């Protein structure tokens, strides 16, 4: 699901989706990715557990690479490389 050796902290843009419920983290991620160039990395931080399912599916369907994801004390972090 995630690429091995992905730089967990490296990103070109960050999205704070803390406190937002489904589907807002995904919608805001889509909007932010639209602003990035191909190959750039977006870091998303969310508190909605549903963001795992949504962002995994979105990355797969849209062709983006889910470089890394982590869960820590109710915070969900994702690094997506734009296709």
């Amino acid at each position: 699901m995630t690429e091995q050796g992905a730089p967990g902290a490296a990103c070109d843009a960050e999205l704070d989706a803390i406190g937002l419920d489904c589907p807002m983290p995904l919608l805001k991620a889509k909007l932010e990715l639209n602003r990035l160039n191909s190959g750039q990395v977006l870091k998303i931080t969310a508190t909605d557990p549903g963001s795992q399912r949504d962002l995994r599916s979105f990355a797969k369907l849209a062709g983006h690479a889910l470089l890394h994801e982590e869960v820590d004390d109710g915070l969900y972090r994702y690094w997506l490389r734009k296709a």
Side-chain angles (χ1 to χ4, degrees), residues 2-82:
T2 59
E3 292 182 6
Q4 294 298 325
C11 65
D12 298 292
E14 292 190 43
L15 171 63
D16 180 355
I18 293 172
L20 299 178
D21 293 325
C22 182
M24 291 309 293
L26 174 62
L27 294 175
K28 289 194 172 278
K30 283 181 171 182
L31 290 173
E32 191 63 31
L33 281 168
N34 285 340
R35 297 179 50 220
L36 297 179
N37 294 319
S38 180
Q40 289 188 305
V41 175
L42 173 65
K43 177 185 175 185
I44 304 155
T45 304
T47 48
D48 179 18
S51 64
Q52 283 187 308
R53 176 195 64 240
D54 292 346
L55 288 168
R56 287 174 183 167
S57 296
F58 168 66
K60 185 175 181 179
L61 291 171
H64 304 304
L66 180 58
L67 299 176
H68 183 72
E69 63 179 286
E70 61 186 39
V71 180
D72 181 33
D73 198 29
L75 285 179
Y76 299 83
R77 294 183 187 93
Y78 311 91
W79 286 261
L80 285 176
R81 179 181 293 135
K82 184 175 178 175

